[in-house]
Structures are given as C-alpha cells and as structure tokens.
Amino acid sequence: MATDREPLDTAADALAPRARVRLPFHPSTPSIARTKLAAFLTVHRAEPSVIDDALIVVSEMIANAISHGEPDSDETVEITWSLDRSRHLLELSVHDAGEGATLDPIDFDEDSLSGRGLSIISRVADRWWVDMSSGTRVNAELALSEH
C-alpha cells in the first residue's frame, strides 16, 4: 500500500491541508480510504456532519472506480483530498486509468442493489464533475461548516 503526501510549499498551502494516497485497486479500498479520510478530517477539526458526508462521497467515488474503471500501472487508484479554508470547501478526487465510460447519475428505487453511486454523490456533494483528459478523475466538493 503506497502513500504519498504532497509537500506544503507556501504559506497559502498551509491554509489548505491536503493528502494524496495510492491504494490497491481492490474492493476493500473504500474502507481503507474512509479510515484515512476520517483521521485527516478529525485532525483538521471538520464538523461531524462534513466528515459523515465526505465518507459517503469518497466511498462511492472509489467503489465506482473499482467497479467500472481500470487500475493505474501499479495496480492502484489515486485518492486525494484537501481543505480549502479560503473557499470553505473540502475537495475530494479519485483517479483511475479507465477511459470512455458514461458518468451520469441514474434514477434508482429503494430496492436497487447497484447503480446508486453517482446519484448518491450528486445528492450529498455540493458539486461534482468528471475529468477524462487522462484516465477518469471524479471530483467533488463539500461545503465546510463555518465555526
């Protein structure tokens, strides 16, 4: 399990704590990422409701990557998160090497066993988008509670 942490380069970066992790392209990865993200957000004093929402969103983003994407050359998926205090946002991102998928939320009913991921992300995140310029990167933003 590889972990990379981006260095903080400037005073402005100190206001935007961030982390980047590379985790195995495996069904257990959402659980590992949730633990790491919860610790990061707790250390940086995010509100419990933000932590709860972030864990749902990142879990769905990773589950979709594992189910529908492709691993990077090192058999991992890249997950990043950062706190942009100046914009009061938590930014989440999941990157896999897959290309060409259709990424639109679909309607589901209460009995659906799959296909809920993007709809859940759409409902919980304040904003989300996809960048397919190099593999597939799904990004989401959640508003931070102001103290």
Side-chain angles (χ1 to χ4, degrees):
M1 181 175 355
T3 302
D4 298 327
R5 294 212 182 263
E6 294 180 1
L8 296 178
D9 295 327
T10 66
D13 284 336
L15 299 176
R18 69 188 81 188
R20 177 180 55 203
V21 295
R22 300 191 69 80
L23 296 173
F25 198 84
H26 188 270
S28 65
T29 295
S31 176
I32 297 165
R34 283 191 306 270
T35 300
K36 290 180 176 295
L37 178 57
F40 174 88
L41 292 172
T42 300
V43 165
H44 292 286
R45 300 181 181 188
E47 293 292 321
S49 61
V50 172
I51 295 172
D52 291 345
D53 287 349
L55 298 181
I56 291 167
V57 171
V58 81
S59 188
E60 292 299 333
M61 291 167 72
I62 297 166
N64 282 345
I66 302 296
S67 294
H68 306 292
E70 298 290 330
D72 288 336
S73 61
D74 61 355
E75 299 296 317
T76 64
V77 60
E78 179 186 87
I79 305 118
T80 61
W81 47 77
S82 66
L83 292 170
D84 185 337
R85 300 251 187 228
S86 66
R87 295 174 44 221
H88 305 287
L89 292 174
L90 168 62
E91 300 167 329
L92 303 169
S93 175
V94 174
H95 178 265
D96 72 80
E99 296 181 5
T102 302
L103 293 169
D104 294 316
I106 57 173
D107 290 330
F108 63 89
D109 60 37
E110 292 177 11
D111 296 328
S112 298
L113 297 177
S114 65
R116 300 177 183 204
L118 293 178
S119 292
I120 291 170
I121 293 167
S122 183
R123 290 178 184 172
V124 177
D126 293 294
R127 183 170 89 101
W128 72 278
W129 67 99
V130 178
D131 175 359
M132 293 184 144
S133 59
S134 175
T136 300
R137 181 175 301 278
V138 178
N139 304 282
E141 294 177 340
L142 287 82
L144 296 173
S145 302
E146 296 185 42
H147 297 12

